[in-house]
Amino acid sequence: FGTNVLSGTGKVRVWTVAGHSVAEVPFGLGGGGHEVVSWNGRDREGDELANGTYLYRVELSGPLGNVRSDMQRLVIMR
């Protein structure tokens, strides 16, 4: 994703389409304006998520406050 927040921390939050939170992936901002967040596709308990559609949002905390993206779709297919 691209952002104009150049320093701080963030997380990617993942939900089922029914609204159940299944994962939070923390990361630090590298300062380049473009970030790639690696995630192993596992839930909070360490189990692989099932194939299907999920929702996610990127949330950032920087020196000027908090920013969050709109909800986006994520499809897992193995």
Side-chain angles (χ1 to χ4, degrees):
F1 66 91
T3 180
N4 59 358
V5 178
L6 298 179
S7 66
T9 60
K11 60 186 167 186
V12 177
R13 296 182 64 191
V14 182
W15 292 270
T16 65
V17 292
H20 297 97
S21 178
V22 293
E24 286 188 11
V25 184
F27 62 90
L29 294 171
H34 295 282
E35 301 293 329
V36 175
V37 178
S38 295
W39 174 47
N40 60 9
R42 296 182 179 273
D43 65 14
R44 296 176 198 273
E45 287 77 37
D47 298 323
E48 284 187 343
L49 292 182
N51 289 342
T53 302
Y54 296 84
L55 302 172
Y56 76 94
R57 177 170 54 208
V58 178
E59 300 177 353
L60 304 175
S61 297
L64 300 177
N66 298 327
V67 178
R68 66 182 187 184
S69 71
D70 292 333
M71 288 285 210
Q72 302 290 321
R73 280 181 293 220
L74 165 71
V75 176
I76 294 182
M77 294 178 8
R78 292 189 178 88

